[in-house]
């Protein structure tokens, strides 16, 4: 409830001197508010707060202050010098002024027009002022402020803040801006994209200026813009187009939709092949896998020769060949086991031990509720783009509720919901839902491959955030995650990517055991492997959700590999190959555990295949891989992913082990020693993997304090045996945007 | 200590750790200590085993099993499934790679010396945490390291110290987890306890006692997080033991049809020198006598633990006390349960000595952390440490006396005599009536090496022939799988089965082969000609074309 201000300039109020400012009161109001309205609280009298102000009749200032402090205030007229002096004493002056007179004029004009037309509530406008000024002031002192934070017009910037806060509609802002800038306002809601016209403007410029050609008027080209343009951009447009242009204003989502429609082919092409078309040195991508056109004949010939040699050895000298196979199997199993034990030990190191100060892993081992990097000041929070793959209409309400809970300024946050053009149900559901101002929909044109990675690549072109992260529709962010990640990036400017912890929660209706197994496996990946890899400086096999990347790095690396089944993990390898570092935060992303055994088995098998494909793709040029990663990191990559290979061949191992046991129990003719040895090797590998995996899952669940998963962790050997048949299940089709998640996160 | 700090709970906030390894050059001290101890134990071991022939047949049996596993990996499961201490056998395998070291018995004391060194080093580290002062530290270490029983079993190749070493490591890990919340330590503790149960099946009781302690501590807490954390801790601690035992039981079931074949194997639950039934009262009496003479320190430590448990409401001290009591009672309980085995001095005292030292150190360290730096605490600690040193040093002569006089022992008296006289004990008798020595086995082995009987050329009952096998270091020469049909067929008709020699003893009661050919050892079987004879063994050769002279059906 608001407290009405008292009439200003009471003659009884004591005047302000610098030393008369009550120290307990001078920090009562935020600095941004004090400086923007040129006022400072300085004393209390009869229950009223005396506030020195340059303009004692500024009703807006009195309202805002009373509203903010929740008590009656009285503005007392003072000279600007006196107020400024008191303010400088309370808040030492910053290198640059928060707002120039011209910016103040632009801002005030926009506010006045909005108020005059009744488009905004006064309190909402004031709150917007404060937020806008905070950004302006902090951005002026921040090194990393991007141009998107500095529109040439402070009115536009304030308008953006108001729209993001839900104080005004986008249409209202466009209307006011068109009035202020004397520009025609148009609606493009029913305008179809016209590639002939739209194609005249290069995609990059169209996206940067948020402009699309919509009509010709004589020699003039009519450009629809989301916001008024500064003279330099306007001149650039004229130069590029080679003809005079006329500007009209339209709502930003409509402009964006038209840009997407006009440049659909180009955007799709970029999304599909940016990774592979650029030089490998820039993207870290090794080229496509066998089966694709980029596979060389020499590779195929080498593989064929190896297969022939193996077959020949088995036929001609079966004994030594089988013995060799058994020894290789045992050695491989031991190597993988030891490697996993080392990784686990690395991940489980207690925090803040002297041997590893400041390690990322130490942070990840800290209690879950602590991500203790210094918080980023509100004005310096980077712009964030969240890309969410939307597959099912039914998931939309839950998704929006989850996003609503995220603690991040809406004016710094944009959420792009990605849905397929062919998925009419989802598009209709989205159209019928009133989305928050910071959430917008990107309809992904149908094209091959229909994967979430390609959709994200396409949406990446439309994002304006410094940081980009990806989510699945069913994911639920820890509300503090974005701030924690921003703080991590701010604390370590060398980081290119931060992986948030991924966890499954058990939703009602899913079998507890299957859900527990899935959650346990995710706990191992997210709670052990990722922190261990970060700690070791190895390639981090990122999760398929909640990896936060600097958008510049993402663009430099060509985005995600649209052909990969595990684009997150693949991107993690490329990050390391191109010399980038990854960090972790403990703030988690929760997703529901698989609801049935079959879907979990298929998801796990798909992930194993994806990881294996990633490893194979990168290992094809081993010397380059070692040069990029170093020997240890390359070995880490191979040994981490070879577990997937183990599971793919595990049906054979299980059969071998069962046969060996049957021969022993039945007291049958055991066969040649080489065959026996192979059977024994299979048994050892199966038992080692099954029991070892149980202990690993136990370690992962204990580390994440998921005590609810302990019982299912103890039954992991059974899940391992079930997983061994997963590769035999029919493969799902490509994991498109329109289909449920096919790969474990 | 609050309920949230007991072993079984999830540490809410790991407390700040004091400097664990004090002073510079600590690593150098440890390295020197390792070299000195290893040198002492190995040097003394060579003398004890090779010069004065104080070597237990259980050690030779372990070497024989290890040779089998290395020589025939495809039959490994048959050897290990029936082995009551498979871990010791597996760890012995690397010691068999040099055949000369095996035949000369030089490799025999290596394993025990390593285990004993490990135990003393672990105690040294624990002492470092307890900070009792340098002189006390050194004297306490000396008191354990040079205890006569420790010396005997560090030098004679016995695997008895392996299990206590693992339990000690597990306790140290658990302590680390309790203090620092180090999950690695918890997982390692679980693994160490599992391995300990494979080194001595009776030690399955240790994780059970720990589990019970954690369960009881958890019940006292009403905090749901503590309860949930305890479940995780219990799972991490017990699951490796359960899994390994289940695996072993499965192997036993598959191969022998008995899930606890390894537990029922000779020597698993009873001493090797059992001499008939023993009443419960006598068993307990022997236990008390052994403890009073050789490990009186346990009484001091137990009192300390109980006081701490009651005064400070410390469940971890109560758990340690329960562990100590269990260790005290274990030999007598085993004797009673197994129906008549004796309480061996070594089994009663040695593990207890190690456990007591470990528990005492943990107690001392906790006392240091809880007001131990106050003047009164410092004084109390000094008195306790001095008392512990005095008791440990006084224990030397009493232990020596016990070793010399106890009737229930294996090699203790022989060791004492050897040290006192410096003479070989070859041919001497133990108080329980067994003859000491390796001479007959060595001579038979030498003869076989000269003979080179070829692959599967010697048929033998492994229960009696393993010392000879160790002397040759050639498991492939021996046909010693009595459980198979082929072995019995070969025993009944050696010539037809391609057997060149039969290795017999003169005792048909313990030798299945001698029981089948009762006249052969005396040279009265016309179908079997004696080619070599020593005090304990007879090597016979099937005579081609001779009528069967008399095998027992």
């Amino acid at each position: 409830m608001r407290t009405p201000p008292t009439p200003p300039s009471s003659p009884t109020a004591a005047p302000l001197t610098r030393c008369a400012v009550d120290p307990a009161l001078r920090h009562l109001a935020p600095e941004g508010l004090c400086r923007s309205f040129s006022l400072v609280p300085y004393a209390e009298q009869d229950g009223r707060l005396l506030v020195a102000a340059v303009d004692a009749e500024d009703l807006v200032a009195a309202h805002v202050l009373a509203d903010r402090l929740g008590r009656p205030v009285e503005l007392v007229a003072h000279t600007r010098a006196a107020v400024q002096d008191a303010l400088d004493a309370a808040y030492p002056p910053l290198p640059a002024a928060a707002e120039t007179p011209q910016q103040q004029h632009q801002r005030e004009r926009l506010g006045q027009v909005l108020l005059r037309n009744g488009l905004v509530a006064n309190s909402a406008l004031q709150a917007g002022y404060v937020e806008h000024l905070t950004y302006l002031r902090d951005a002026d002192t921040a090194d990393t402020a991007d141009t998107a934070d500095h529109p040439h017009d402070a009115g536009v910037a304030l308008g953006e803040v108001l729209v993001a806060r839900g104080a005004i509609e986008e249409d209202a802002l466009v209307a006011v801006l068109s009035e202020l800038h004397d520009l025609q306002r148009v609606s493009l809601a029913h305008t179809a994209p016209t590639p002939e016209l739209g194609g005249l403007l290069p995609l990059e410029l169209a996206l940067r200026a948020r402009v699309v050609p919509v009509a010709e008027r004589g020699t003039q080209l009519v450009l629809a813009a989301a916001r008024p343009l500064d003279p330099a951009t306007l001149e650039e447009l004229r130069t590029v187009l080679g003809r005079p242009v006329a500007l009209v204003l339209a709502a930003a989502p409509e402009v964006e939709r038209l840009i997407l429609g006009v440049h659909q082919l180009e955007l799709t092409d970029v999304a599909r092949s940016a990774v592979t078309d650029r030089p490998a040195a820039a993207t870290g991508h090794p080229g496509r896998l066998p089966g694709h056109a980029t596979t060389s004949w020499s590779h195929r010939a080498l593989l064929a020769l190896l297969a022939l040699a193996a077959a020949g050895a088995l036929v001609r000298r079966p004994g030594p060949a089988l013995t060799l196979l058994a020894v290789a199997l045992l050695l491989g199993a031991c190597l993988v086991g030891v490697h996993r034990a080392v990784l686990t030990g690395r991940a489980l190191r207690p925090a803040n031990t002297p041997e590893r100060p400041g390690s990322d892993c130490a942070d990840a081992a800290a209690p879950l509720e602590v991500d203790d990097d210094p918080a980023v000041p509100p004005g310096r929070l980077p712009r964030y783009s969240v890309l969410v793959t939307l597959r099912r209409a039914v998931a939309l309400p839950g998704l929006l509720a989850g996003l609503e809970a995220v603690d991040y300024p809406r004016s710094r946050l944009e959420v792009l919901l990605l849905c397929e053009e062919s998925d009419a149900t989802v598009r209709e559901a989205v159209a019928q839902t009133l989305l928050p101002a910071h959430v917008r929909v990107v309809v992904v044109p149908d094209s091959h491959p229909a994967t979430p990675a390609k959709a994200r690549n396409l949406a990446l072109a439309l994002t304006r955030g410094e940081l980009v992260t990806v989510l699945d529709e069913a994911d639920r962010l820890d509300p503090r995650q974005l701030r924690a990640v921003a703080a991590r990036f701010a604390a370590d400017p060398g980081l290119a990517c931060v992986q948030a912890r991924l966890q499954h929660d058990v939703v009602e209706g899913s079998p507890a055991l299957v859900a527990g197994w899935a959650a346990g496996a995710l706990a191992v990946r997210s709670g052990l492997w990722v922190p261990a890899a970060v700690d070791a400086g190895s390639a981090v096999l990122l999760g398929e959700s909640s990896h936060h990347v600097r958008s510049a790095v993402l663009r430099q690396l060509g985005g995600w590999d649209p052909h990969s089944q595990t684009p997150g993990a693949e991107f993690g390898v490329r990050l390391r190959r191109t010399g980038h570092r990854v960090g972790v935060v403990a703030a988690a992303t929760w997703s529901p555990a698989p609801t049935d055994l079959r879907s979990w088995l298929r998801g796990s098998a798909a992930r194993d295949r994806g990881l294996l494909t990633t490893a194979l793709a990168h290992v094809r040029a081993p010397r380059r891989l070692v040069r990029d990663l170093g020997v240890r990191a390359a070995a880490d990559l191979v040994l981490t992913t070879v577990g997937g290979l183990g599971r793919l061949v595990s049906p054979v191992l299980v059969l071998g082990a069962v046969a060996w046991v049957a021969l022993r129990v039945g007291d049958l003719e055991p066969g040649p020693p080489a065959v026996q040895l192979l059977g024994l090797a299979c048994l050892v590998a199966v038992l080692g993997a099954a029991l070892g995996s149980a202990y690993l899952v136990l370690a992962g669940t204990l580390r994440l304090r998921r005590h609810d998963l302990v019982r299912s962790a103890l039954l992991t050997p059974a899940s391992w045996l079930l997983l061994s048949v997963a590769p035999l299940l029919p493969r799902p089709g490509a994991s498109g945007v329109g289909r449920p998640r096919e790969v474990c996160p | 200590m609050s309920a949230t700090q007991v072993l079984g709970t999830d540490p809410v906030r790991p407390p700040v750790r004091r400097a664990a390894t004090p002073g510079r050059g600590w690593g150098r001290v440890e390295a020197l200590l390792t070299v000195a101890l290893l040198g002492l134990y190995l040097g003394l071991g060579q003398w004890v085993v090779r010069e004065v022939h104080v070597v237990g047949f259980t050690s030779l049996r372990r070497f024989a099993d290890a040779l089998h596993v290395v020589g025939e990996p495809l039959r490994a499961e048959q050897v290990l499934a029936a082995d009551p201490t498979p871990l010791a056998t597996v760890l012995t395998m690397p010691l068999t790679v040099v055949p000369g070291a095996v035949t000369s018995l030089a490799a025999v004391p290596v394993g025990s010396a390593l285990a004993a060194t490990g135990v003393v080093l672990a105690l040294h580290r624990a002492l470092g945490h307890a900070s009792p002062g340098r002189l006390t530290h050194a004297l306490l270490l000396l008191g354990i390291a040079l205890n006569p029983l420790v010396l005997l079993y560090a030098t004679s190749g016995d695997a008895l110290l392996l299990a206590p070493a693992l339990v000690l490591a597990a306790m140290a890990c658990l302590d680390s987890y309790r203090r620092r919340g180090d999950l690695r330590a918890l997982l390692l503790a679980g693994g160490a306890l599992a391995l300990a149960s494979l080194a001595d099946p009776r030690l399955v009781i240790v994780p059970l006692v720990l589990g019970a302690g954690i369960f009881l501590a958890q019940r006292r807490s009403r905090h749901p997080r503590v309860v949930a954390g305890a479940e995780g801790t219990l799972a991490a601690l017990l699951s490796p033991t359960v899994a390994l035992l289940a695996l072993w039981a499965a192997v036993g079931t598959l191969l022998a049809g008995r899930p606890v074949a390894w537990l029922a194997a000779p020597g698993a639950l009873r001493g090797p020198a059992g001499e008939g039934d023993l009443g419960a009262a006598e068993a307990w009496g022997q236990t008390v006598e052994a403890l009073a003479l050789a490990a009186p320190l346990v009484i001091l430590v137990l009192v300390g633990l109980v006081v701490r448990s009651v005064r400070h409401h410390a469940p971890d001290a109560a758990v340690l006390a329960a562990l100590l009591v269990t260790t005290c009672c274990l030999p007598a309980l085993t004797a009673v349960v197994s129906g008549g085995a004796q309480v061996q001095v070594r089994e009663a005292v040695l593990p207890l000595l190690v456990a007591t030292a470990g528990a005492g150190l943990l107690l001392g360290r906790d006392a240091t952390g809880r007001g131990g730096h106050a003047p009164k605490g410092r004084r109390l600690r000094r008195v306790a440490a001095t008392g512990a040193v005095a008791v440990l040093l006084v224990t030397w002569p009493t232990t020596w006396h016990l070793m010399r006089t106890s009737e229930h022992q294996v090699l203790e008296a022989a060791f004492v005599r050897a040290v006192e006289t410096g003479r070989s004990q070859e041919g001497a008798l133990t108080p329980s009536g067994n003859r000491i020595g390796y001479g007959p086995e060595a001579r038979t082995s030498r003869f076989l090496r000269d003979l080179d009987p070829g692959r599967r050329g010697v048929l033998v009952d492994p229960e009696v022939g393993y010392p000879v096998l160790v002397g040759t270091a050639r498991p492939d020469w021996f046909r010693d799988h009595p459980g198979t049909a082929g072995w019995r067929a070969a025993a009944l008709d050696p010539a037809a089965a391609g057997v060149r020699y039969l290795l017999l003893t003169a005792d048909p009661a313990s030798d299945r082969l001698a029981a089948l050919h009762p006249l052969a050892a005396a040279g009265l079987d016309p179908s079997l000609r004696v080619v070599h004879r020593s005090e304990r063994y007879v090597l016979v050769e099937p005579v081609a074309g001779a009528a069967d002279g008399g095998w027992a059906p």
Side-chain angles (χ1 to χ4, degrees), chain A residues 345 350 664 695 705 707 711, chain B residues 10 74 77 184 187 225 231 236:
Chain A
R664 279 282 182 279
Y695 217 38
R705 300 187 184 172
H707 301 303
R711 290 176 196 181
Chain B
D10 193 3
L74 293 176
E77 83 283 354
R184 292 174 307 172
L187 299 173
R225 194 169 163 191
E231 190 177 334

PDB file of all heavy atoms in Angstrom, chain A residues 345 350 664 695 705 707 711, chain B residues 10 74 77 184 187 225 231 236:
ATOM      1  N   GLY A 345      37.905 -40.495  -7.786  1.00  0.00           N
ATOM      2  CA  GLY A 345      38.725 -39.919  -6.725  1.00  0.00           C
ATOM      3  C   GLY A 345      38.925 -38.435  -6.938  1.00  0.00           C
ATOM      4  O   GLY A 345      38.876 -37.639  -5.999  1.00  0.00           O
ATOM      5  N   PRO A 350      37.933 -33.642  -1.249  1.00  0.00           N
ATOM      6  CA  PRO A 350      37.220 -32.692  -0.389  1.00  0.00           C
ATOM      7  C   PRO A 350      37.544 -31.254  -0.787  1.00  0.00           C
ATOM      8  O   PRO A 350      38.633 -30.963  -1.267  1.00  0.00           O
ATOM      9  CB  PRO A 350      37.731 -33.011   1.009  1.00  0.00           C
ATOM     10  CG  PRO A 350      38.956 -33.811   0.819  1.00  0.00           C
ATOM     11  CD  PRO A 350      38.905 -34.448  -0.517  1.00  0.00           C
ATOM     12  N   ARG A 664      31.457 -74.709 -16.991  1.00  0.00           N
ATOM     13  CA  ARG A 664      32.058 -75.082 -15.707  1.00  0.00           C
ATOM     14  C   ARG A 664      31.069 -75.877 -14.850  1.00  0.00           C
ATOM     15  O   ARG A 664      31.391 -76.906 -14.282  1.00  0.00           O
ATOM     16  CB  ARG A 664      32.464 -73.834 -14.939  1.00  0.00           C
ATOM     17  CG  ARG A 664      33.766 -73.255 -15.389  1.00  0.00           C
ATOM     18  CD  ARG A 664      34.904 -74.098 -14.779  1.00  0.00           C
ATOM     19  NE  ARG A 664      36.194 -73.558 -15.138  1.00  0.00           N
ATOM     20  CZ  ARG A 664      36.826 -73.762 -16.283  1.00  0.00           C
ATOM     21  NH1 ARG A 664      36.255 -74.503 -17.211  1.00  0.00           N
ATOM     22  NH2 ARG A 664      38.000 -73.238 -16.503  1.00  0.00           N
ATOM     23  N   TYR A 695      29.045 -49.386  -7.437  1.00  0.00           N
ATOM     24  CA  TYR A 695      29.791 -48.567  -6.470  1.00  0.00           C
ATOM     25  C   TYR A 695      29.940 -47.133  -6.991  1.00  0.00           C
ATOM     26  O   TYR A 695      29.914 -46.179  -6.214  1.00  0.00           O
ATOM     27  CB  TYR A 695      31.149 -49.202  -6.207  1.00  0.00           C
ATOM     28  CG  TYR A 695      31.590 -49.069  -4.754  1.00  0.00           C
ATOM     29  CD1 TYR A 695      30.687 -49.192  -3.719  1.00  0.00           C
ATOM     30  CD2 TYR A 695      32.915 -48.846  -4.432  1.00  0.00           C
ATOM     31  CE1 TYR A 695      31.084 -49.073  -2.396  1.00  0.00           C
ATOM     32  CE2 TYR A 695      33.322 -48.735  -3.099  1.00  0.00           C
ATOM     33  CZ  TYR A 695      32.396 -48.845  -2.095  1.00  0.00           C
ATOM     34  OH  TYR A 695      32.778 -48.726  -0.790  1.00  0.00           O
ATOM     35  N   ARG A 705      24.321 -36.027  -2.578  1.00  0.00           N
ATOM     36  CA  ARG A 705      23.418 -36.173  -1.435  1.00  0.00           C
ATOM     37  C   ARG A 705      22.028 -36.586  -1.870  1.00  0.00           C
ATOM     38  O   ARG A 705      21.020 -36.110  -1.340  1.00  0.00           O
ATOM     39  CB  ARG A 705      23.376 -34.874  -0.627  1.00  0.00           C
ATOM     40  CG  ARG A 705      24.752 -34.564  -0.144  1.00  0.00           C
ATOM     41  CD  ARG A 705      24.800 -33.412   0.780  1.00  0.00           C
ATOM     42  NE  ARG A 705      26.208 -33.161   1.088  1.00  0.00           N
ATOM     43  CZ  ARG A 705      26.637 -32.133   1.758  1.00  0.00           C
ATOM     44  NH1 ARG A 705      25.798 -31.252   2.201  1.00  0.00           N
ATOM     45  NH2 ARG A 705      27.919 -31.979   1.987  1.00  0.00           N
ATOM     46  N   HIS A 707      20.222 -39.155  -1.253  1.00  0.00           N
ATOM     47  CA  HIS A 707      20.082 -40.363  -0.441  1.00  0.00           C
ATOM     48  C   HIS A 707      18.857 -41.171  -0.844  1.00  0.00           C
ATOM     49  O   HIS A 707      18.761 -42.344  -0.519  1.00  0.00           O
ATOM     50  CB  HIS A 707      20.013 -39.969   1.030  1.00  0.00           C
ATOM     51  CG  HIS A 707      21.237 -39.219   1.478  1.00  0.00           C
ATOM     52  ND1 HIS A 707      22.503 -39.738   1.350  1.00  0.00           N
ATOM     53  CD2 HIS A 707      21.394 -37.986   2.007  1.00  0.00           C
ATOM     54  CE1 HIS A 707      23.383 -38.861   1.805  1.00  0.00           C
ATOM     55  NE2 HIS A 707      22.740 -37.788   2.188  1.00  0.00           N
ATOM     56  N   ARG A 711      19.093 -46.970  -2.525  1.00  0.00           N
ATOM     57  CA  ARG A 711      18.614 -48.349  -2.698  1.00  0.00           C
ATOM     58  C   ARG A 711      18.672 -48.778  -4.158  1.00  0.00           C
ATOM     59  O   ARG A 711      19.082 -49.894  -4.474  1.00  0.00           O
ATOM     60  CB  ARG A 711      17.190 -48.471  -2.163  1.00  0.00           C
ATOM     61  CG  ARG A 711      17.171 -48.358  -0.653  1.00  0.00           C
ATOM     62  CD  ARG A 711      15.799 -48.382  -0.078  1.00  0.00           C
ATOM     63  NE  ARG A 711      15.856 -47.882   1.297  1.00  0.00           N
ATOM     64  CZ  ARG A 711      14.839 -47.780   2.094  1.00  0.00           C
ATOM     65  NH1 ARG A 711      13.643 -48.136   1.694  1.00  0.00           N
ATOM     66  NH2 ARG A 711      14.976 -47.313   3.315  1.00  0.00           N
TER      67      ARG A 711
ATOM     68  N   ASP B  10      25.802 -37.978   7.482  1.00  0.00           N
ATOM     69  CA  ASP B  10      26.327 -37.119   6.448  1.00  0.00           C
ATOM     70  C   ASP B  10      26.866 -35.864   7.114  1.00  0.00           C
ATOM     71  O   ASP B  10      26.097 -35.121   7.713  1.00  0.00           O
ATOM     72  CB  ASP B  10      25.151 -36.778   5.536  1.00  0.00           C
ATOM     73  CG  ASP B  10      25.609 -36.165   4.260  1.00  0.00           C
ATOM     74  OD1 ASP B  10      26.823 -36.060   4.078  1.00  0.00           O
ATOM     75  OD2 ASP B  10      24.747 -35.793   3.473  1.00  0.00           O
ATOM     76  N   LEU B  74      43.250 -70.861 -15.910  1.00  0.00           N
ATOM     77  CA  LEU B  74      41.902 -71.330 -16.220  1.00  0.00           C
ATOM     78  C   LEU B  74      41.319 -72.183 -15.103  1.00  0.00           C
ATOM     79  O   LEU B  74      40.137 -72.496 -15.116  1.00  0.00           O
ATOM     80  CB  LEU B  74      41.917 -72.132 -17.527  1.00  0.00           C
ATOM     81  CG  LEU B  74      42.248 -71.282 -18.749  1.00  0.00           C
ATOM     82  CD1 LEU B  74      42.346 -72.144 -19.987  1.00  0.00           C
ATOM     83  CD2 LEU B  74      41.184 -70.218 -18.943  1.00  0.00           C
ATOM     84  N   GLU B  77      39.692 -70.414 -10.480  1.00  0.00           N
ATOM     85  CA  GLU B  77      38.495 -70.342  -9.636  1.00  0.00           C
ATOM     86  C   GLU B  77      38.373 -71.564  -8.739  1.00  0.00           C
ATOM     87  O   GLU B  77      37.833 -71.492  -7.644  1.00  0.00           O
ATOM     88  CB  GLU B  77      37.249 -70.130 -10.491  1.00  0.00           C
ATOM     89  CG  GLU B  77      36.645 -71.363 -11.109  1.00  0.00           C
ATOM     90  CD  GLU B  77      37.429 -71.853 -12.313  1.00  0.00           C
ATOM     91  OE1 GLU B  77      38.368 -71.165 -12.719  1.00  0.00           O
ATOM     92  OE2 GLU B  77      37.114 -72.940 -12.829  1.00  0.00           O
ATOM     93  N   ARG B 184      35.728 -40.121  -0.540  1.00  0.00           N
ATOM     94  CA  ARG B 184      36.685 -41.121  -1.043  1.00  0.00           C
ATOM     95  C   ARG B 184      37.089 -42.054   0.081  1.00  0.00           C
ATOM     96  O   ARG B 184      37.218 -43.267  -0.107  1.00  0.00           O
ATOM     97  CB  ARG B 184      37.941 -40.426  -1.580  1.00  0.00           C
ATOM     98  CG  ARG B 184      37.701 -39.625  -2.822  1.00  0.00           C
ATOM     99  CD  ARG B 184      38.941 -38.858  -3.189  1.00  0.00           C
ATOM    100  NE  ARG B 184      39.439 -38.061  -2.080  1.00  0.00           N
ATOM    101  CZ  ARG B 184      40.578 -37.412  -2.073  1.00  0.00           C
ATOM    102  NH1 ARG B 184      41.352 -37.480  -3.113  1.00  0.00           N
ATOM    103  NH2 ARG B 184      40.956 -36.683  -1.039  1.00  0.00           N
ATOM    104  N   LEU B 187      34.410 -44.653   0.717  1.00  0.00           N
ATOM    105  CA  LEU B 187      34.393 -45.716  -0.294  1.00  0.00           C
ATOM    106  C   LEU B 187      35.594 -46.640  -0.125  1.00  0.00           C
ATOM    107  O   LEU B 187      35.486 -47.864  -0.267  1.00  0.00           O
ATOM    108  CB  LEU B 187      34.391 -45.096  -1.701  1.00  0.00           C
ATOM    109  CG  LEU B 187      33.174 -44.217  -2.008  1.00  0.00           C
ATOM    110  CD1 LEU B 187      33.343 -43.527  -3.339  1.00  0.00           C
ATOM    111  CD2 LEU B 187      31.911 -45.052  -2.021  1.00  0.00           C
ATOM    112  N   ARG B 225      17.730 -35.773   7.593  1.00  0.00           N
ATOM    113  CA  ARG B 225      18.920 -35.787   6.751  1.00  0.00           C
ATOM    114  C   ARG B 225      19.978 -36.746   7.317  1.00  0.00           C
ATOM    115  O   ARG B 225      20.690 -37.423   6.578  1.00  0.00           O
ATOM    116  CB  ARG B 225      19.483 -34.380   6.670  1.00  0.00           C
ATOM    117  CG  ARG B 225      20.493 -34.237   5.586  1.00  0.00           C
ATOM    118  CD  ARG B 225      20.794 -32.782   5.409  1.00  0.00           C
ATOM    119  NE  ARG B 225      22.025 -32.630   4.676  1.00  0.00           N
ATOM    120  CZ  ARG B 225      22.637 -31.492   4.546  1.00  0.00           C
ATOM    121  NH1 ARG B 225      22.146 -30.414   5.084  1.00  0.00           N
ATOM    122  NH2 ARG B 225      23.745 -31.413   3.867  1.00  0.00           N
ATOM    123  N   GLU B 231      21.875 -44.082   5.865  1.00  0.00           N
ATOM    124  CA  GLU B 231      21.578 -45.177   4.938  1.00  0.00           C
ATOM    125  C   GLU B 231      22.623 -45.237   3.817  1.00  0.00           C
ATOM    126  O   GLU B 231      23.115 -46.300   3.463  1.00  0.00           O
ATOM    127  CB  GLU B 231      20.186 -44.970   4.339  1.00  0.00           C
ATOM    128  CG  GLU B 231      19.714 -46.163   3.565  1.00  0.00           C
ATOM    129  CD  GLU B 231      18.286 -45.969   3.047  1.00  0.00           C
ATOM    130  OE1 GLU B 231      17.524 -45.198   3.664  1.00  0.00           O
ATOM    131  OE2 GLU B 231      17.965 -46.574   2.036  1.00  0.00           O
ATOM    132  N   ALA B 236      27.476 -47.699   1.449  1.00  0.00           N
ATOM    133  CA  ALA B 236      28.841 -47.601   0.935  1.00  0.00           C
ATOM    134  C   ALA B 236      29.800 -48.484   1.715  1.00  0.00           C
ATOM    135  O   ALA B 236      30.747 -49.042   1.171  1.00  0.00           O
ATOM    136  CB  ALA B 236      29.307 -46.154   0.971  1.00  0.00           C
TER     137      ALA B 236
END
